[in-house]
């Protein structure tokens, strides 16, 4: 399963139960559409941290990092690199 698909499935099952997974476009703005609230964003970040072993405490995070499934996928891919560039800052 692709990373983007796994993230999409988690978001749909957690925040949009009953919605077909294929209906959530990777570019859909999760905040503007009310899919994820600020409180739910914290839950989503915790899921990403535990699922993908991302040291979120060591990264500079901003809401735009989590605006869409595509943005979240990019964040996870970059955060898993030894020298990750997250929100324009080099980490590693």
């Amino acid at each position: 399963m692709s990373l983007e698909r796994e993230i999409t499935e988690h978001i749909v099952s957690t925040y949009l139960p009953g919605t077909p997974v294929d209906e959530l476009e990777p570019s859909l703005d999760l905040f503007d559409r009310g899919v994820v609230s600020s409180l739910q964003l914290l839950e989503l970040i915790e899921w990403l941290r535990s699922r993908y072993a991302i040291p979120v405490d060591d990264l500079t995070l901003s809401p735009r990092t989590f605006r869409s499934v595509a943005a979240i996928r990019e964040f996870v891919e970059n955060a898993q690199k030894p020298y990750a560039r997250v929100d324009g800052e080099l980490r590693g």
Side-chain angles (χ1 to χ4, degrees), residues 17-78:
T19 302
V21 173
D22 294 332
E23 284 189 19
L24 182 59
E25 292 292 324
S27 61
L28 179 80
D29 190 311
L30 300 172
F31 301 120
D32 284 351
R33 295 299 195 154
V35 175
V36 177
S37 69
S38 57
L39 179 59
Q40 292 167 325
L41 174 59
L42 297 174
E43 296 169 347
L44 179 58
I45 291 169
E46 177 57 26
W47 177 78
L48 293 167
R49 184 201 63 75
S50 63
R51 177 71 181 101
Y52 300 107
I54 297 171
V56 294
D57 294 339
D58 298 338
L59 300 173
T60 301
L61 304 176
S62 76
R64 74 173 183 258
T65 305
F66 307 98
R67 278 225 168 274
S68 67
V69 170
I72 295 168
R73 177 194 40 79
E74 184 177 342
F75 165 75
V76 171
E77 289 172 345
N78 287 332

Side-chain angles (χ1 to χ4, degrees), residues 7-16 24 30 35 69 72:
I7 293 166
T8 300
E9 286 182 1
H10 174 76
I11 290 171
V12 167
S13 69
T14 304
Y15 307 113
L16 297 168
L24 182 59
L30 300 172
V35 175
V69 170
I72 295 168

